[in-house]
Amino acid sequence: MNLEDFIKTALTEIVAGVAAARTEIQKHGGSAGSSPAYGDVKGIKTDNNGRQIQIVGFDIALADASTTDTKGGIGVFLGTAGLGSQGASHGESSSTSRIKFSVPLVLPGDA
C-alpha cells in the first residue's frame, strides 16, 4: 500500500468509526467528535451544558503482512492482541505503521 492510500484509508476509517460511535454515544446522553468548548476554567474545557470535555487518545499500530501461501491483510494490534488475517508461510514480509489521534468526548450526566 502506498502512502497516499494508507493516509486515505486510515483517515476515512477513523472518521467512520467516530461517526458510528457518536450515534451510539448520543443515545446515552454524551457526545463524541466535534464538541465545541464553551468554557475553560483552569485548563478544563466544558461543553455548552457545562460538562467536561475529555480527550481520548489513540496510538494504534497497523501491520501489513504478505505471504507466498496466503493473501496478506491489514491487522490492528492493540497491546498484545491482534485482529486481522494471519497465515503460515515459508516466505513472509510485513511492515508496521503507527498512527496517533485523539477524539473529544463528553460523558453523559448533568453539569
Side-chain angles (χ1 to χ4, degrees), residues 34-47:
S34 301
S35 296
Y38 288 94
D40 190 343
V41 178
K42 295 183 181 179
I44 299 174
K45 298 191 182 315
T46 59
D47 71 356

Side-chain angles (χ1 to χ4, degrees), residues 40-95:
D40 190 343
V41 178
K42 295 183 181 179
I44 299 174
K45 298 191 182 315
T46 59
D47 71 356
N48 61 343
N49 295 317
R51 298 178 300 179
Q52 183 176 354
I53 298 173
Q54 309 286 330
I55 302 298
V56 179
F58 295 86
D59 182 357
I60 299 172
L62 302 170
D64 183 10
S66 298
T67 62
T68 56
D69 293 343
T70 61
K71 289 185 179 178
I74 295 177
V76 177
F77 294 89
L78 305 172
T80 58
L83 304 173
S85 64
Q86 298 177 355
S89 175
H90 297 295
E92 183 175 316
S93 65
S94 65
S95 64

